[in-house]
Amino acid sequence: MARRRRSPSPGVSRWIPLLSLLVVAAATAACWRPADERAYQDVVTSMSMVKARAFFEQYPKSAYRDRLVEDMIGWCRHEDTGTCYQIVIETLPKGHPRYQEVVDAYEKRLADKRRKPR
């Protein structure tokens, strides 16, 4: 009968499952992001006003709310059309502090457009 070979360090085999579990837990914790952050990233990536409206409805107290408003205003400044501001006005919650600023910018664009001779 062949003798069974012992591992070089019998105590190590006991710790391998525990260490691998800790590594997996740490990796999972490092990759996990809150739902509102994932939703914010999705809206910004897609630049979808429909998703933005859903974000405002689903996460009314999110820390990413003001950041999203800044991004949306930036999109309109980049695009430079009245239609964009109109869509943002329809999407933004009426109680948001920047709402009136966007309305004023839209009205200014309309007034400037009316004054320009064609």
Side-chain angles (χ1 to χ4, degrees):
M1 199 151 98
R3 288 184 77 187
R4 188 171 160 198
R5 202 172 157 208
R6 292 187 64 174
S7 67
S9 180
V12 171
S13 61
R14 237 182 325 169
W15 293 99
I16 289 177
L18 179 63
L19 288 175
S20 47
L21 181 64
L22 286 173
V23 167
V24 168
T28 303
C31 295
W32 182 80
R33 294 181 307 170
D36 63 338
E37 182 181 356
R38 288 191 309 266
Y40 164 76
Q41 290 293 338
D42 186 35
V43 172
V44 171
T45 302
S46 66
M47 292 179 68
S48 166
M49 293 297 179
V50 173
K51 288 183 179 181
R53 178 176 288 167
F55 177 87
F56 289 127
E57 290 170 359
Q58 193 169 7
Y59 305 104
K61 297 185 191 280
S62 173
Y64 295 95
R65 195 172 176 198
D66 291 334
R67 224 191 263 183
L68 180 57
V69 171
E70 287 294 324
D71 290 335
M72 292 167 65
I73 292 170
W75 299 338
C76 288
R77 286 185 184 138
H78 178 71
E79 194 172 309
D80 198 32
T81 63
T83 307
C84 184
Y85 283 103
Q86 186 177 5
I87 293 169
V88 170
I89 289 169
E90 293 170 4
T91 304
L92 268 179
K94 306 259 185 284
H96 193 278
R98 302 284 307 267
Y99 179 81
Q100 192 57 46
E101 178 185 333
V102 176
V103 170
D104 293 342
Y106 176 65
E107 290 173 351
K108 183 178 182 293
R109 282 192 60 78
L110 287 178
D112 290 347
K113 191 175 182 182
R114 287 185 201 129
R115 277 186 243 170
K116 286 184 181 178
R118 291 185 181 205

